[in-house]
Amino acid sequence: MTGTVAPLDVSGTSATTGTASVAFTGTGTLVRFGLRRDRVRMSVWLLALTLGTLATAAEYKALYATPEERAAAVGSMDSPAALAMTGPRHYLSDYTAGAMLGHQLLGFMAVLVGLMSVLIVTRHTRDEEETGRAELVRSTVVGHHAQLASALVLAAVANLALALLLALGLTAMGIDGIGPGGALLYGFTHAAIGLVFAGTAAVTAQITAHTRGASGMALAAIGVAYVLRASGDVGNDALSWLSPIGWIQRTYVFVDDRWWPIALCLALAAPTAAYGFVLSTRRDVGAGLRAARLGRRTASDALTRPFGFALRLHRATLLGFGAGLCLMGVMYGSILGEAADMVKDIEQVQETLAEIGGSTVAESFASMVMVVIAVVAAVYVVMAALRPRAEESAGRAEPLLATGLSRNRWLGSHVAVALAGGTALLALAGLGFGLAGAASAGDGGLVLDLVGAAVAYAPALWVTVGVAVLLFGWFPRAGAVAWIVPVYAFLVGYLGPILQLPDWMKNLSPFGHVPQLPAAGMNWPPLLALTAVAAGLILLGLMGFRRRDLETK
């Protein structure tokens, strides 16, 4: 047979030749196309993760320059609550700047790298099927396994690129305790954990027919891995060995530099990815292995209204962020009572907390943590506010707007869910923070104080929603620019005081105008001004959406 490819049967192999290689026909072309599509998205991920790591390493070098300061850090980290948030105690045996990086940052980075890998795989597999593009591509000379294979290759490329950037960047910094060998190991621990969760996403993408469901199940696996790691580091060490995050932390990078735990990750990633290929042969294109549940014969009254329908679309994401933020609040609250001891010998952190104010170190520490909680909530509101763009691009908005539903009511329902959902997330995180903090510090009054401190960031969230709506209404293809708001807020709000950034940079962020409760007193004028700005941005966005044509792919 010359110049042609035999037709494929449902098993993904050639009906004529029976060779499995035909099932991967076109993989290279799809990889090149995927790199072209994701060149900006992937570059942003890699730069953010690399620069965040390098900035943290520089921060450790500045904060813990002397043996006495490092010894004080060991004392503050050697507690169950601190170990649950960081990593195993063995890192504390030689607590150099490199050991701090492996101990305090590696577990957190594993979650972010896992998120990047999951989103890459589901974007190029399940999302392609859900939008109908996969069926069109497969009607050409493309094998059954080509899309999944290309998605896994893209995830591998991203993770290997991150590994090399981290290794080169950390080596170039020339920090004591961070050598070339350890830097290379540190980089490849990220690649290894990324491949594990890419394989996980390859499986979950076969189970459900929806991108959100596939991503949600894979992200739940990341959450379980993190919880097992945290539980094992505090108590029974065996639990940490059930988690791939626990495996990479037990490389003890910059302490013992053990490479063999990476082999465990690869030994899990390879069969997991292979199982994804096997499962893909047992379903139709566009379908999932899990049969869709039969819905009710009649829709509920809520689904017949724009807000109820929008809430249903956002429900899974809102519940996932709710659980994550509540857990984050509880984890930070559990160490609130130990905050004074943790920072008592770290001069720069003490100066930062003193600038924040507050009658106690716990109040100042809580105010700093609130910025992190607010930024995570801002991630949700950007996702929620940009959801109409996904509905429009997929062609699902057009049939709805062809009815009596106005554009204002349709877009307004999604905006309302983003505004109310973001505020609810702040309250939930503040409640978890307050309850755990009250138990840790022995002060029941912290519950209401911390709930109020969290909710005070609601106007800043509303401005974030307004920016996303404004972009969607007037410049829909530039909607991703809205992500600058939470990223910038984190840089200037959390790292700014430590890095001593100028005040004018803080004032460029809506979060920089929120009073830092409970350390500071309530200041209503900035909150009212932020609310007015948010309302103006949303109204402008609605106006723009009414004036432009729908863009359907």
Side-chain angles (χ1 to χ4, degrees):
M1 183 168 54
T2 303
T4 60
V5 176
L8 301 179
D9 63 15
V10 294
S11 67
T13 60
S14 171
T16 303
T17 65
T19 59
S21 61
V22 178
F24 293 92
T25 299
T27 299
T29 302
L30 290 180
V31 169
R32 292 191 295 273
F33 180 58
L35 289 172
R36 176 70 174 79
R37 285 180 61 195
D38 283 4
R39 64 189 186 281
V40 176
R41 188 186 303 260
M42 199 176 290
S43 297
V44 170
W45 268 107
L46 296 179
L47 286 175
L49 293 175
T50 302
L51 293 178
T53 299
L54 299 183
T56 303
E59 179 184 335
Y60 289 154
K61 178 183 178 181
L63 292 178
Y64 308 102
T66 65
E68 292 77 16
E69 290 173 335
R70 292 192 289 272
V74 170
S76 65
M77 289 295 160
D78 194 9
S79 68
L83 293 174
M85 294 185 63
T86 53
R89 182 177 278 107
H90 182 64
Y91 281 98
L92 303 179
S93 62
D94 185 16
Y95 216 41
T96 62
M100 292 178 189
L101 206 62
H103 184 229
Q104 299 182 32
L105 194 63
L106 191 53
F108 176 68
M109 287 289 290
V111 174
L112 295 180
V113 173
L115 175 62
M116 177 186 72
S117 301
V118 166
L119 294 180
I120 289 175
V121 173
T122 56
R123 169 176 164 80
H124 291 278
T125 54
R126 177 51 61 187
D127 189 54
E128 293 295 291
E129 295 187 42
E130 190 174 358
T131 57
R133 292 190 292 265
E135 191 169 9
L136 180 63
V137 170
R138 291 190 185 187
S139 67
T140 63
V141 187
V142 172
H144 183 87
H145 293 321
Q147 283 194 307
L148 179 56
S150 65
L152 291 171
V153 170
L154 289 172
V157 168
N159 283 289
L160 290 174
L162 177 63
L164 294 176
L165 287 172
L166 290 174
L168 293 173
L170 289 173
T171 301
M173 294 183 74
I175 299 175
D176 290 339
I178 299 181
L184 189 63
L185 174 59
Y186 183 81
F188 275 94
T189 57
H190 291 69
I193 196 66
L195 293 176
V196 168
F197 291 121
T200 303
V203 173
T204 61
Q206 317 308 321
I207 297 173
T208 176
H210 302 287
T211 306
R212 295 192 305 276
S215 300
M217 285 188 285
L219 294 179
I222 296 176
V224 170
Y226 190 88
V227 170
L228 285 173
R229 191 282 309 161
S231 301
D233 289 343
V234 173
N236 188 352
D237 190 62
L239 291 175
S240 294
W241 286 104
L242 298 177
S243 166
I245 298 179
W247 299 346
I248 63 168
Q249 285 192 322
R250 276 152 182 78
T251 58
Y252 295 124
V253 59
F254 302 118
V255 178
D256 294 337
D257 286 342
R258 303 195 304 188
W259 283 83
W260 63 263
I262 290 182
L264 296 177
C265 293
L266 299 180
L268 175 61
T272 304
Y275 190 50
F277 285 108
V278 173
L279 292 179
S280 70
T281 65
R282 301 178 182 177
R283 64 176 182 85
D284 293 329
V285 177
L289 292 172
R290 187 178 64 185
R293 293 182 301 172
L294 293 176
R296 296 193 298 182
R297 292 186 177 181
T298 58
S300 66
D301 290 338
L303 287 179
T304 64
R305 297 179 175 85
F307 180 81
F309 185 64
L311 183 60
R312 177 64 180 83
L313 293 177
H314 291 261
R315 184 178 64 181
T317 306
L318 183 59
L319 291 175
F321 269 89
L325 275 169
C326 184
L327 179 61
M328 178 184 292
V330 170
M331 292 179 66
Y332 277 118
S334 66
I335 63 173
L336 191 59
E338 304 170 5
D341 293 333
M342 291 175 63
V343 303
K344 64 181 180 181
D345 296 317
I346 308 175
E347 182 178 352
Q348 190 167 348
V349 174
Q350 284 185 328
E351 292 176 357
T352 300
L353 294 178
E355 291 179 4
I356 293 175
S359 58
T360 64
V361 173
E363 286 186 353
S364 303
F365 180 76
S367 298
M368 181 182 291
V369 169
M370 283 302 172
V371 177
V372 181
I373 290 175
V375 168
V376 176
V379 171
Y380 163 75
V381 300
V382 172
M383 293 177 63
L386 293 180
R387 180 60 188 271
R389 174 60 179 166
E391 296 294 304
E392 179 187 3
S393 300
R396 294 187 291 266
E398 192 170 7
L400 290 174
L401 296 175
T403 66
L405 179 63
S406 69
R407 290 194 176 201
N408 277 352
R409 291 187 66 198
W410 177 76
L411 179 56
S413 64
H414 287 277
V415 173
V417 171
L419 296 174
T423 305
L425 290 178
L426 289 175
L428 183 61
L431 181 61
F433 194 11
L435 291 174
S440 174
D443 183 2
L446 284 174
V447 177
L448 291 179
D449 290 343
L450 295 183
V451 170
V455 175
Y457 280 91
L461 286 190
W462 301 341
V463 172
T464 306
V465 173
V467 171
V469 175
L470 178 68
L471 291 169
F472 170 73
W474 291 95
F475 314 102
R477 296 186 181 182
V481 175
W483 287 107
I484 293 176
V485 179
V487 172
Y488 185 79
F490 176 76
L491 291 176
V492 301
Y494 185 70
L495 297 179
I498 296 176
L499 300 178
Q500 296 182 347
L501 297 178
D503 289 340
W504 67 265
M505 293 185 66
K506 177 181 177 181
N507 292 333
L508 293 177
S509 168
F511 296 83
H513 299 277
V514 177
Q516 293 186 291
L517 303 174
M522 174 56 77
N523 187 12
W524 286 104
L527 299 184
L528 295 176
L530 288 173
T531 303
V533 170
L537 292 173
I538 292 172
L539 289 175
L540 286 174
L542 291 171
M543 184 185 304
F545 183 56
R546 289 199 308 268
R547 291 172 178 265
R548 68 172 176 85
D549 294 332
L550 292 180
E551 296 184 3
T552 303
K553 293 181 180 177

